[in-house]
Each structure stands twice: as structure tokens, then as C-alpha cells.
């Protein structure tokens, strides 16, 4: 794939949020409408090809890519949020982090049985968050047809952790 404009805009921030992490700051991409159009168009084309019927975005940077994608495809958008943020009845998934655990949640009416879901986040690292989002969709009897990311940190092997699903990542490190 030829290099997309977003790649030249992503900023490396060392030691954020803790020592040893090289954080990929995507906020300069949000600032550039042409780069955002290009990235959203490419992810939308993948989601369309996979037959997506609902776009699932992972808090919080998955929202800024997932929502424009849903609008472009005229599809519903369903948020996956961190623990304690969703007001209505919800289901939860806990997953392991390097130290400790994390919990993500979805409203119980976010996905219809049999609905084809395309899950979006800004970045695939170890894959734990994405895998938990897939479980939330499947517990509502949805079908995960694919994942879309702006960035993949391929040395962390997130694709393997996610399992047997199609993954589209626009930029790979
Ligand atoms: P993971 O569950 O390990 O795949 O982590 C994915 C989530 O953590 C995504 O929502 C990313 O936004 C965030 N994340 C993890 N590592 C980084 C990084 N090096 N730079 C920016 N965001 C990251």
C-alpha cells in the first residue's frame, strides 16, 4: 500500500503515559482534514467490502475514526466504553493488561442478533482491547466481520492475539 498522509503526521512521544512506552500521538492527523478524509475513506472501503451493518468504536480514539466512517456508510455507530461510563443496562468484558486488568462495556441493545459488526480503533497494540470488544459483540450474537485501525504496532503481535478475524491497518510500525 502506498504511504498515506497520516503517516507523516503521527508524532512519537517517548515515555508516555509511563516510562518505556513510545506513544503514537494521532492528534496531528485529526488536525488535517485531507489526512482524515483519506484514512476514513480507506477504512470505509474495507468495512463496506466486509459487509458491515454496524460500526463499533472503542473509546476514545476509536470514536473519532469510527463515527465518521459510520456516517459515510450510513450505518449505526455503537460505542465500546471504559467501565462505569455507559448509563443504560450493559455487559462487561475484563481483559489482562501488562499489569492488572481493564474492563470495557457495551449497552445491551447496541447490537442486533446476526448483525455484522466492524470494529474500529486508532491503534492495534497487544490486541487485548480489540479482542474484548469482539467478545462484547459476540455475546450479543453479533458477527464480527473485521477490524479497522489507523496504526498497527506489528512487533506486539496484536493480530495473533485478536484471533481469526480480518484486520485492516493503514499504517504499520
Ligand atoms: P491494546 O489493547 O494493547 O491493543 O491497546 C490498544 C489501545 O491502547 C488503543 O486504544 C490505543 O489507542 C492504545 N495504545 C496502546 N499502545 C499505544 C501506543 N504505543 N501509542 C498510542 N496508543 C496506544
Amino acid at each position: 500500500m502506498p504511504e498515506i498522509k497520516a503517516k507523516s503526521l503521527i508524532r512519537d512521544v517517548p515515555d508516555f503515559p509511563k516510562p518505556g512506552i513510545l506513544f503514537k500521538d494521532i492528534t496531528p492527523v485529526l488536525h488535517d482534514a485531507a489526512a482524515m478524509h483519506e484514512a476514513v475513506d480507506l477504512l470505509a472501503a474495507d468495512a463496506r467490502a466486509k459487509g458491515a451493518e454496524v460500526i463499533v468504536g472503542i473509546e476514545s480514539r476509536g470514536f473519532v475514526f469510527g463515527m465518521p466512517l459510520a456516517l459515510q456508510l450510513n450505518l449505526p455507530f455503537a460505542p465500546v466504553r471504559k467501565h462505569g461510563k455507559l448509563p443504560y443496562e450493559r455487559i462487561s468484558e475484563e481483559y489482562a493488561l501488562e499489569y492488572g486488568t481493564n474492563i470495557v462495556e457495551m449497552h445491551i441493545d447496541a447490537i442486533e442478533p446476526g448483525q455484522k459488526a466492524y470494529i474500529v480503533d486508532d491503534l492495534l497494540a497487544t490486541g487485548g482491547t480489540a479482542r474484548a470488544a469482539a467478545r462484547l459483540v459476540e455475546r450479543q450474537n453479533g458477527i464480527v466481520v473485521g477490524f479497522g485501525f489507523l496504526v498497527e504496532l506489528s512487533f506486539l503481535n496484536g493480530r495473533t492475539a485478536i484471533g481469526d478475524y480480518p484486520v485492516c491497518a493503514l499504517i504499520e510500525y
Side-chain angles (χ1 to χ4, degrees), residues 20 49 52 72 106:
Q72 187 179 121
M106 264 185 127

Side-chain angles (χ1 to χ4, degrees), residues 57-69:
I58 301 175
E59 184 173 1
S60 59
R61 291 179 297 269
F63 296 175
V64 299
F65 291 95
M67 190 69 237
L69 200 153

Side-chain angles (χ1 to χ4, degrees), residues 16 21-25 58-62 95 97 121-130 149 153 156 158:
F16 183 87
I21 304 286
L22 183 64
F23 194 85
K24 296 290 181 188
D25 177 17
I58 301 175
E59 184 173 1
S60 59
R61 291 179 297 269
Y95 62 97
L97 298 174
D121 203 355
D122 67 325
L123 184 142
L124 172 62
T126 65
T129 314
F149 301 95
L153 303 182
L156 293 174

Side-chain angles (χ1 to χ4, degrees), residues 76-97:
F77 175 82
V80 167
R81 297 212 62 183
K82 288 164 189 156
H83 178 61
K85 299 285 185 184
L86 287 171
Y88 185 61
E89 283 181 64
R90 65 206 93 85
I91 54 170
S92 307
E93 271 292 332
E94 190 169 357
Y95 62 97
L97 298 174

